[in-house]
């Protein structure tokens, strides 16, 4: 195996492990933080970054530009969904509250 192939393998493993660590950190934050907004912040930020690292690992192993484009689209949609869901969930407790 060439030196460049080994470096690529190491980069893929590092990106995948970092993705898993960020997913784990988001889950721990979801379970440990006291209020809704803190939990949403932890899960949204950490999981979006974790998804980005996993998509990077997959993109480094992709065989075509179309695969990379698919992974990038998945990441962008994941970021969008996380932001919208967190915004809607964070606004929900305020509805109907007494002034």
């Amino acid at each position: 195996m060439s030196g460049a192939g080994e470096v690529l393998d190491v980069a893929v493993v590092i990106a995948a492990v970092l993705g898993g660590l960020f997913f784990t950190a988001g889950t721990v934050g979801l379970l440990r933080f006291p209020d809704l907004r803190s939990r949403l912040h932890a899960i949204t930020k950490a999981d979006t970054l974790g998804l980005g690292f996993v998509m990077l690992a997959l993109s480094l192993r992709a065989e075509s530009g179309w695969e990379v484009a698919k992974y990038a689209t998945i990441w962008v949609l994941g970021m969008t969904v996380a932001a919208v869901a967190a915004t809607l969930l964070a606004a929900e407790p305020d509805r109907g509250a007494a002034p």
Side-chain angles (χ1 to χ4, degrees):
M1 182 175 261
S2 69
E6 291 175 1
V7 170
L8 184 63
D9 288 342
V10 170
V12 168
V13 168
I14 289 172
V17 168
L18 282 173
L21 289 174
F22 277 103
F23 278 129
T24 303
T27 303
V28 169
L30 178 67
L31 297 173
R32 299 281 313 233
F33 285 143
D35 63 337
L36 175 69
R37 288 186 175 93
S38 298
R39 291 176 179 173
L40 285 174
H41 176 75
I43 196 85
T44 303
K45 302 299 180 193
D47 282 0
T48 301
L49 195 53
L51 179 62
F53 277 119
V54 170
M55 292 298 111
L56 175 64
L58 291 171
S59 295
L60 289 173
R61 277 289 163 208
E63 296 181 5
S64 69
W66 285 109
E67 285 183 67
V68 175
K70 288 179 191 178
Y71 297 139
T73 302
I74 290 169
W75 187 46
V76 168
L77 289 173
M79 287 190 299
T80 304
V81 167
V84 170
T87 301
L88 291 174
L89 287 170
E92 188 61 30
D94 294 337
R95 291 185 189 178

